[in-house]
Amino acid sequence: MNIRFIYVDAPFWRAEIGRIALHIGNVDFNDDRISREEFLRAKETGKLDDGTIIPFRQIPCLNVDGQSINQTGGISRFCGKLSGHYPKDNAVDAALIDQVIDMATDITVLLSPSGAEKDEQKKKAMREELAQGQLARKISFLEELLENGEGDWFVGKKISIADIAIWRLMGWLTSGMIDYMPETLLADFPNVRRVCSNVEKHPKVIEWIVMTYPKTYTLGSFD
Ligand SMILES: N[C@@H](CCC(=O)N[C@@H](CS)C(=O)NCC(=O)O)C(=O)O
């Protein structure tokens, strides 16, 4: 099977779920990082410069043996099934993983209005309110899920695509790269921090970080 994972050169959760699942599972794939310019062109034309179709004109996009597939959820599940990080025959566990990934989307969408705000003072006020309000509320629901769960991972007793999604999403939110978003966002959520820390301690995740993340990336921020 020829797998090409198409995204820009950024470790955003939408792409990292699939890329990291494939990497951990030792599944061969082509990690195709297109330039921002090519992405903008694909948004206009629905195709990469080499003619590869980008359905819905958004990324990530997976191309499997010439067939293009879009949408983070579907791509992540496909990569998870191939790599052994998403169940093929346990519908309940699969749905439990899905609900976490959909929550990652809900959280991401919360950032959109402030991301589009041009007035810096208004943006600051929106982000501060978000961090203490809606965002903290949603993260507290993930915390609740873990308090009622089995411990080290969101679902079952081993790492799944749900854990990878939340680790990367939380890494982005607390990276200091989002204007006016406090790096202390997870201070009150020890269970979410623990899962993130568990993902970041996985030897294959460390290998991936060393291979693909900026040299300035520091391990251990969730401990
Ligand atoms: N529903 C899509 C959303 C993906 C998405 O918003 N991707 C961004 C880049 S991170 C994008 O392609 N934006 C361009 C657009 O939507 O026009 C998914 O779940 O994958």
Side-chain angles (χ1 to χ4, degrees):
M1 197 184 284
N2 192 306
I3 302 173
R4 182 178 168 201
F5 201 109
I6 302 158
Y7 197 70
V8 288
D9 187 15
F12 193 51
W13 72 270
R14 289 187 184 286
E16 288 297 84
I17 313 181
R19 288 172 178 158
I20 292 177
L22 294 174
H23 178 72
I24 301 181
N26 298 312
V27 178
D28 254 356
F29 73 105
N30 177 1
D31 184 7
D32 190 356
R33 295 175 184 236
I34 58 172
S35 66
R36 300 237 165 232
E37 293 71 27
E38 186 170 9
F39 172 43
L40 292 178
R41 286 194 292 277
K43 276 175 64 167
E44 288 300 312
T45 64
K47 286 180 183 168
L48 295 185
D49 293 350
D50 67 3
T52 302
I53 292 169
I54 305 294
F56 312 139
R57 302 179 184 205
Q58 55 190 5
I59 51 173
C61 179
L62 197 69
N63 188 275
V64 182
D65 292 336
Q67 174 70 59
S68 290
I69 302 164
N70 205 284
Q71 297 288 13
T72 304
I75 292 172
S76 306
R77 284 186 279 277
F78 177 85
C79 295
K81 281 179 199 162
L82 277 189
S83 70
H85 297 92
Y86 185 83
K88 288 183 188 162
D89 51 12
N90 184 331
V92 172
D93 278 0
L96 289 171
I97 291 172
D98 292 348
Q99 71 173 355
V100 174
I101 292 178
D102 288 347
M103 178 53 99
T105 296
D106 290 355
I107 290 174
T108 306
V109 167
L110 283 179
L111 275 284
S112 301
S114 55
E117 180 56 61
K118 297 277 179 278
D119 182 305
E120 211 49 36
Q121 281 313 310
K122 280 191 195 155
K123 183 181 204 156
K124 183 171 184 288
M126 285 167 91
R127 289 268 160 91
E128 285 170 356
E129 195 184 318
L130 199 58
Q132 288 171 16
Q134 279 302 314
L135 201 46
R137 183 168 172 269
K138 297 265 191 226
I139 299 172
S140 79
F141 298 154
L142 289 170
E143 182 74 11
E144 228 169 67
L145 205 61
L146 289 165
E147 276 164 10
N148 299 329
E150 292 182 66
D152 286 340
W153 308 106
F154 272 105
V155 182
K157 296 194 186 319
K158 63 174 216 159
I159 187 170
S160 76
I161 55 172
D163 307 297
I164 300 171
I166 296 303
W167 165 63
R168 217 36 329 261
L169 172 64
M170 295 306 157
W172 174 62
L173 289 171
T174 58
S175 64
M177 283 161 51
I178 305 178
D179 293 335
Y180 316 116
M181 191 53 65
E183 292 175 41
T184 53
L185 189 66
L186 296 183
D188 294 334
F189 307 117
N191 287 295
V192 174
R193 284 206 315 275
R194 195 181 66 254
V195 168
C196 292
S197 173
N198 290 341
V199 174
E200 208 174 73
K201 286 193 174 90
H202 191 295
K204 292 287 282 185
V205 174
I206 295 176
E207 194 179 89
W208 181 255
I209 290 170
V210 171
M211 271 166 53
T212 67
Y213 284 23
K215 297 295 164 238
T216 48
Y217 186 88
T218 41
L219 289 166
S221 61
F222 296 103
D223 292 338

